[in-house]
Amino acid sequence: MSSDTLVDFDEVLTRYEPVIGLETHVELGTASKMFCGCSTTFGAEPNTQTCPVCLGLPGSLPVANAAAIESTIRIGLALGCRIATWCRFARKNYFYPDIPKGFQTSQYDEPLCTAGHLDVEVDGETYRVEIERVHLEEDTGKNLHVGGATGRIHGADHSLVDYNRAGIPLVEIVTRPIPGTGAKAPEVAKAYVTELREILLALGVSEVRMEQGNLRSDVNTSLAPIGSLEWGIRTETKNVNSLRSVERSVRYEMRRQAAVLDAGERILQETRHFHEDTGSTSAGRSKEEATDYRYFPEPDLVPIAPDEEWVEKLAAALPELPAARRARLSEEWGISPTEMAWLVNAGAVGLVSETVAAGAPPADARKWWLGELARRANDAGVDLAGLAVTPQQVAELVGLVAAGTINDQLARQVLDGVLAGEGDPAAVVESRGLAVMGESDELVAAVDAAIEGNPDVAEKVRGGKVQAIGALVGAVMKTTRGKADAATVKRMLEERLLS
Ligand SMILES: [Zn+2]
């Protein structure tokens, strides 16, 4: 548990202005590593995807992965960056067990892409996030601390290292400091990572699964007194790996830093860890003395010099980017920017789009994903995409309702079956016997029984209190367990009582 003193969020904003900044690491989805031919498949047995190059054995020589360079240039182009015509890799020297070479091959003063931007929208307002640089480097191995309660090195009995991840191509996207977001700072941070993730998905360069660490953000936060000409000292919350946590970490740091500043103390420039369970951060490494990594140009790799024609070709072949796609879909579906924002926030744009592609009218596709399915995802504590139902199945469900085979109420029961893995909607309708009853003998009998069982209600209807018929419809729906079509039942009752 954290013992930090916190200032109420709204109160923070009466005295301080936040500045945020984000450094986001993206593991590229290339088949092989950055400087060797080792596989990058996630989840393999530890240390089975290694070779002399990614283990840093003496005498081994790296060769740069062309697909990774291409992906990085495409990311840069999608973010409106300038692409370097000539740049080099550099050695970032430091020792840590997960970095077998004793240095990380990265880029330093010559990044591949510079000076871009990304516009993000929060509550109808657009914020421009300036991108300082996009560079290419390699991932480190993964330490596993065994025996402690927290999984951290403190309290552990021993530590293991898995080098499967060492050398996987990693793109780092660094924003310039983002001032002027005020109370929206936490949401702008989240919106930026969300939009960046959408772009990376559209480019197809990474699986961007945050829970697998494909995408992780270091979130910088600082506060300065309102009106101050200088920015405050920032902290860097490391490896935040969910969108929600990005927002929470900024919110927490703003509240914590305000309390420190209120007390007349100074903020320590340090890295901090974010804790999902408590939503708090705790101190990590102090950055008071800037680490000197003794960067120098990597002598074992040739410089990268993308020729202009290639870059132009890559630019021309970029896919439709998310912002343009949203504008187009809003128009096609006839919805407002606000309604589109709901879909974006629910992570439903792609799902609705695929449901429409599978034949459902846009309004129905939106209704199911934002209504019933959103509710179920929320209950289950998963994202919409994590539900065990495909857009094709939702389209099939919509089709069954449109054809009158099932009604909305039965459709919800059909969903139960689909989510329980019982097959496609039509199969669930069949196996669970959920089709709407036609004017069958069974339904006629249920209607007659409802009239006989409620003689007083029937008499009222006959006497002109037509709205009382609702009670009889309800009785029929109950005996048929919702499988009757209410409109049909009402018509049948009217035929018997009013004609
Ligand atoms: Zn290797």
Side-chain angles (χ1 to χ4, degrees):
M1 225 23 228
S2 151
S3 56
D4 291 327
T5 309
L6 300 177
V7 173
D8 184 70
F9 185 76
D10 291 330
E11 207 189 314
V12 174
L13 298 155
T14 63
R15 294 192 287 279
Y16 302 102
E17 276 185 83
V19 175
I20 52 173
L22 292 109
E23 295 170 24
T24 305
H25 285 97
V26 184
E27 258 184 23
L28 294 179
T30 52
S32 58
K33 290 188 181 179
M34 187 61 229
F35 301 113
C36 61
C38 288
S39 167
T40 57
T41 311
F42 182 81
E45 280 290 302
N47 298 310
T48 54
Q49 296 170 347
T50 58
C51 73
V53 174
C54 55
L55 287 177
L57 299 188
S60 62
L61 282 174
V63 178
N65 182 334
I69 293 171
E70 181 173 305
S71 292
T72 309
I73 293 175
R74 292 178 68 231
I75 293 169
L77 290 169
L79 294 171
C81 291
R82 268 202 307 271
I83 309 301
T85 51
W86 191 92
C87 65
R88 283 177 296 187
F89 286 103
R91 290 190 181 186
K92 180 181 182 181
N93 295 284
Y94 69 102
F95 175 79
Y96 205 63
D98 63 12
I99 189 121
K101 297 190 292 191
F103 61 86
Q104 181 188 30
T105 308
S106 181
Q107 293 194 282
Y108 182 48
D109 50 354
E110 301 169 353
L112 193 44
C113 320
T114 51
H117 65 268
L118 179 59
D119 289 336
V120 300
E121 205 169 296
V122 174
D123 297 338
E125 194 130 341
T126 302
Y127 297 86
R128 170 152 294 197
V129 176
E130 306 280 351
I131 307 291
E132 180 164 311
R133 57 189 281 152
V134 178
H135 75 244
L136 190 50
E137 58 188 34
E138 58 180 337
D139 210 345
T140 60
K142 205 169 181 174
N143 292 323
L144 186 68
H145 305 297
V146 185
T150 59
R152 296 192 188 281
I153 196 163
H154 304 285
D157 294 330
H158 59 280
S159 298
L160 301 166
V161 196
D162 176 7
Y163 291 115
N164 284 353
R165 200 178 68 178
I168 289 186
L170 204 59
V171 166
E172 183 169 344
I173 301 159
V174 184
T175 72
R176 294 182 61 77
I178 311 162
T181 55
K184 300 288 181 208
E187 281 141 301
V188 171
K190 180 187 176 191
Y192 164 76
V193 181
T194 305
E195 187 68 9
L196 185 60
R197 188 174 172 277
E198 292 287 321
I199 288 177
L200 296 165
L201 271 176
L203 293 172
V205 294
S206 168
E207 289 187 47
V208 290
R209 294 216 183 113
M210 293 187 85
E211 72 283 3
Q212 284 187 7
N214 293 150
L215 182 98
R216 38 193 206 265
S217 285
D218 299 341
V219 185
N220 296 330
T221 311
S222 70
L223 290 182
I226 287 180
S228 162
L229 295 176
E230 277 175 41
W231 289 343
I233 293 169
R234 67 191 163 88
T235 60
E236 181 181 355
T237 309
K238 299 290 284 184
N239 293 327
V240 182
N241 67 354
S242 82
L243 296 172
R244 185 162 168 263
S245 300
V246 169
E247 178 177 346
R248 291 170 84 203
S249 67
V250 173
R251 198 173 292 276
Y252 185 87
E253 271 304 285
M254 285 172 66
R255 298 181 61 198
R256 184 188 69 83
Q257 291 183 18
V260 174
L261 295 171
D262 279 353
E265 291 164 21
R266 57 188 212 102
I267 302 294
L268 293 178
Q269 186 171 346
E270 62 189 358
T271 63
R272 297 185 67 87
H273 302 295
F274 181 72
H275 306 282
E276 297 273 347
D277 48 351
T278 53
S280 62
T281 65
S282 63
R285 193 156 37 95
S286 165
K287 278 202 166 178
E288 286 295 282
E289 287 160 47
T291 318
D292 189 348
Y293 292 113
R294 303 262 166 182
Y295 282 97
F296 67 86
E298 167 61 60
D300 286 342
L301 285 163
V302 292
I304 311 172
D307 78 69
E308 214 173 307
E309 221 172 288
W310 181 42
V311 174
E312 275 169 20
K313 229 166 89 184
L314 292 177
L318 284 183
E320 181 183 34
L321 294 175
R325 178 166 179 252
R326 287 196 298 269
R328 176 176 60 79
L329 291 176
S330 295
E331 178 123 359
E332 282 177 20
W333 297 345
I335 62 174
S336 68
T338 312
E339 287 171 304
M340 181 50 84
W342 291 340
L343 287 172
V344 172
N345 284 338
V349 179
L351 295 166
V352 169
S353 173
E354 283 174 52
T355 307
V356 171
D364 289 325
R366 283 193 293 128
K367 179 185 97 170
W368 283 98
W369 284 110
L370 284 187
E372 187 65 20
L373 290 164
R375 192 177 63 72
R376 287 171 190 246
N378 194 39
D379 288 349
V382 297
D383 292 337
L384 274 182
L387 286 175
V389 60
T390 64
Q392 289 71 26
Q393 288 171 327
V394 175
E396 189 182 326
L397 191 80
V398 168
L400 290 169
V401 175
T405 310
I406 51 174
N407 54 32
D408 275 11
Q409 194 190 339
L410 290 169
R412 286 193 276 274
Q413 296 181 47
V414 174
L415 269 184
D416 290 338
V418 173
L419 291 169
E422 293 170 22
D424 289 335
V428 175
V429 168
E430 185 71 28
S431 63
R432 290 199 175 195
L434 290 174
V436 166
M437 293 167 83
E439 253 176 276
S440 60
D441 292 348
E442 195 188 346
L443 187 56
V444 170
V447 168
D448 290 343
I451 293 172
E452 273 166 43
N454 302 279
D456 46 332
V457 182
E459 208 41 54
K460 270 189 207 162
V461 177
R462 284 198 186 95
K465 279 200 77 181
V466 182
Q467 67 272 32
I469 208 164
L472 297 174
V473 174
V476 176
M477 296 308 283
K478 199 172 167 195
T479 43
T480 58
R481 294 194 314 276
K483 285 196 285 179
D485 175 54
T488 306
V489 170
K490 185 157 176 272
R491 181 173 48 74
M492 290 168 74
L493 285 162
E494 283 168 355
E495 281 168 11
R496 279 160 178 72
L497 298 173
L498 298 176
S499 53

